[in-house]
C-alpha cells in the first residue's frame, strides 16, 4: 500500500533516505543527479513528497514555489516501483500543493533518460514538453588575446543606468527590475561587465565564481548591434578576463588550477547556442522541462 508524506523540511534520517534513493536512481539511469533540497532564493519554499511502500522509500519529489507564480518539481522513483499509479499519485499531490500555493503553472524538470512512465504521461496529456536547458563548458586551454574591437570593463555605479537598459532590452525586463537584479547580484559577489564600441554600449555579461568554476550569467548584445560579430568578440573577451584573473591567482598560489567557464542556455535560444558551440563550449548536462497539466488524477 502506498503512503504519501508531505513535509516542509527533512530531518537527518529522511534526508539520508532521499540521498540514498537518488544515488541508486542515478546509477540505474546513468544520470548525474544533484537535486537541491533547499530553495535557491530566499522566497522559494520547497516542499518534500515522500512515497512509501511497506515502510521503504519508493519515490520522492521536491516542489519549489517561485515568487513569479511558477513552480517546479523534480524527483526520483525507485527502479523496482516505477508503476503508473505511483507517478500519478505523486504528480496529483504536487500539483494540488502548487495550485494551493498560488502557482499558475507547474513544470516537471528532469535529466533526459529512457522512461516508459514519462512516455505514457505524454501520450495521455498529463505532461507536455516545453524546452531544454543546457549547461555548457569551455573545453579549450589556449590563451585568448585581447581584441581591439571592444572596450570591456567592470560596471561601476556610474554605469548603472546603462547596464540596466542593456539588461532590460535583452531579457524583456522592465528597467527597475533589471537595475535591482544587477545590484543584488553584485552584492552577492558577482561581477558585471559592460562592452562599448566607439563609446556606444553594446553588450553586457555577469561572472560568478565558485571554488572550481566561473559561471556566466546575463550574456547579451544590444539588439541593434547583433549580427556584426560583437557576440563572438564579447565572448572571447569574457574568456580572456577569466584567464587573466586565473593566471594572477596562479602566480600568488602555484597550485591554483585554472577555473572552468560554464554558461547555461535554453534550447529556444538557438543563436546563442550556436555562438557558444562555435567558440569552444560543449554541453556537459541537460535538463528537460515539461508542463504538468490538470487531470492527473486516476
Amino acid at each position: 500500500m502506498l503512503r504519501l508524506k508531505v513535509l516542509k523540511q527533512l530531518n537527518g534520517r529522511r534526508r539520508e533516505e532521499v540521498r540514498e534513493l537518488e544515488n541508486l536512481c542515478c546509477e540505474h539511469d546513468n544520470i548525474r543527479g544533484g537535486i537541491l533540497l533547499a530553495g535557491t532564493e530566499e522566497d522559494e519554499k520547497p516542499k518534500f513528497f515522500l512515497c512509501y511502500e511497506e515502510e521503504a522509500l519508493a519515490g520522492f519529489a521536491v516542489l519549489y514555489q517561485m515568487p513569479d507564480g511558477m513552480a517546479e518539481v523534480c524527483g526520483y522513483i525507485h527502479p523496482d516501483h516505477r508503476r503508473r499509479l505511483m507517478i500519478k499519485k505523486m504528480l496529483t499531490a504536487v500539483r494540488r500543493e502548487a495550485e494551493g500555493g498560488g502557482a499558475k503553472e507547474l513544470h516537471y524538470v528532469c535529466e533526459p533518460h529512457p522512461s516508459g512512465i514519462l512516455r505514457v504521461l505524454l501520450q495521455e496529456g498529463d505532461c507536455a514538453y516545453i524546452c531544454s536547458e543546457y549547461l555548457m563548458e569551455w573545453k579549450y586551454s589556449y590563451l585568448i588575446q585581447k581584441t581591439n574591437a571592444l572596450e570591456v570593463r567592470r560596471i561601476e555605479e556610474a554605469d548603472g543606468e546603462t547596464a540596466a537598459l542593456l539588461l532590460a532590452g535583452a531579457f524583456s525586463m522592465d528597467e527597475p527590475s533589471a537595475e535591482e537584479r544587477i545590484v543584488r547580484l553584485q552584492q552577492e559577489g558577482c561581477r558585471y561587465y559592460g562592452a562599448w564600441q566607439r563609446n556606444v554600449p553594446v553588450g553586457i555579461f555577469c561572472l560568478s565564481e565558485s571554488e572550481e568554476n566561473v559561471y556566466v550569467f546575463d550574456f547579451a548584445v544590444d539588439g541593434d548591434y547583433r549580427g556584426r560579430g560583437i557576440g563572438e568578440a564579447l565572448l572571447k573577451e569574457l574568456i580572456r578576463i577569466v584567464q587573466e584573473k586565473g593566471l594572477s591567482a596562479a602566480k600568488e598560489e602555484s597550485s591554483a588550477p585554472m577555473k572552468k567557464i560554464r554558461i547555461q542556455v535554453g534550447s529556444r535560444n538557438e543563436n546563442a547556442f550556436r555562438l557558444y558551440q562555435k567558440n569552444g563550449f560543449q554541453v556537459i548536462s541537460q535538463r528537460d522541462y515539461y508542463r504538468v497539466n490538470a487531470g492527473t488524477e486516476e
Side-chain angles (χ1 to χ4, degrees):
M1 182 175 177
L2 297 179
R3 291 187 302 108
L4 185 65
K5 291 181 177 289
V6 183
L7 305 171
K8 291 184 179 179
Q9 60 184 14
L10 299 178
N11 61 26
R13 181 178 64 83
R14 296 199 188 280
R15 185 178 291 265
E16 188 175 321
E17 280 185 319
V18 163
R19 288 304 187 199
E20 285 180 0
L21 179 55
E22 179 184 34
N23 292 336
L24 186 152
C25 292
C26 288
E27 184 176 353
H28 180 273
D29 297 322
N30 192 28
I31 58 178
R32 296 166 60 92
I35 289 179
L36 291 174
L37 299 183
T40 56
E41 303 287 347
E42 289 184 4
D43 42 9
E44 287 180 14
K45 301 173 183 178
K47 286 195 176 178
F48 307 94
F49 299 76
L50 282 72
C51 197
Y52 290 88
E53 189 163 10
E54 297 181 357
E55 304 307 316
L57 183 63
F60 81 91
V62 186
L63 171 67
Y64 307 97
Q65 296 274 174
M66 310 296 186
D68 59 358
M70 304 296 290
E72 293 182 358
V73 60
C74 51
Y76 297 104
I77 294 179
H78 193 291
D80 296 338
H81 297 271
R82 292 180 178 177
R83 297 185 292 276
R84 186 167 170 270
L85 177 61
M86 169 81 77
I87 188 67
K88 287 273 191 176
K89 183 182 182 73
M90 291 185 69
L91 270 183
T92 297
V94 170
R95 183 173 57 79
R96 285 175 175 168
E97 191 71 35
E99 290 174 350
K104 300 173 184 175
E105 195 166 304
L106 172 63
H107 294 165
Y108 170 54
V109 186
C110 64
E111 291 181 62
H113 66 279
S115 171
I117 292 176
L118 183 56
R119 282 197 298 272
V120 170
L121 293 176
L122 289 168
Q123 290 169 359
E124 296 184 357
D126 295 315
C127 291
Y129 173 77
I130 303 172
C131 64
S132 297
E133 284 193 352
Y134 307 107
L135 181 63
M136 305 183 77
E137 183 177 287
W138 196 62
K139 290 297 186 179
Y140 296 138
S141 58
Y142 62 82
L143 295 179
I144 300 294
Q145 301 302 311
K146 183 173 178 59
T147 174
N148 294 321
L150 300 172
E151 177 197 352
V152 179
R153 65 172 188 264
R154 285 280 297 272
I155 294 292
E156 305 293 345
E157 187 175 347
D159 304 313
E161 184 177 351
T162 297
L165 282 171
L166 277 168
L167 194 64
F171 296 100
S172 300
M173 304 168 65
D174 59 71
E175 192 177 339
S177 297
E179 187 174 1
E180 184 276 331
R181 176 177 174 82
I182 292 170
V183 170
R184 176 170 56 84
L185 289 182
Q186 285 180 323
Q187 289 174 344
E188 292 174 2
C190 299
R191 309 191 308 274
Y192 269 93
Y193 291 82
W196 283 260
Q197 188 177 63
R198 300 185 185 91
N199 297 321
V200 177
V202 295
I204 190 171
F205 62 86
C206 177
L207 300 180
S208 174
E209 292 193 43
S210 68
E211 195 169 318
E212 297 179 350
N213 306 305
V214 177
Y215 293 93
V216 183
F217 297 100
D218 297 348
F219 182 92
V221 173
D222 183 270
D224 292 337
Y225 288 86
R226 290 173 188 168
R228 304 184 186 185
I230 290 176
E232 184 168 352
L234 184 59
L235 192 60
K236 288 179 177 178
E237 276 295 287
L238 179 159
I239 296 168
R240 184 191 64 79
I241 287 168
V242 174
Q243 289 178 335
E244 200 171 69
K245 191 171 187 295
L247 290 172
S248 296
K251 287 179 181 177
E252 296 175 8
E253 186 180 347
S254 58
S255 61
M258 190 73 75
K259 294 186 177 183
K260 297 173 182 176
I261 305 171
R262 293 181 170 180
I263 192 167
Q264 189 165 292
V265 62
S267 58
R268 293 172 174 172
N269 196 345
E270 295 180 6
N271 290 336
F273 182 85
R274 286 196 295 268
L275 173 67
Y276 304 149
Q277 197 172 49
K278 176 184 174 184
N279 287 277
F281 283 83
Q282 296 177 16
V283 174
I284 60 170
S285 69
Q286 177 179 338
R287 291 286 188 276
D288 295 335
Y289 288 74
Y290 298 85
R291 184 178 60 253
V292 178
N293 300 322
T296 57
E297 294 90 347
E298 284 288 280

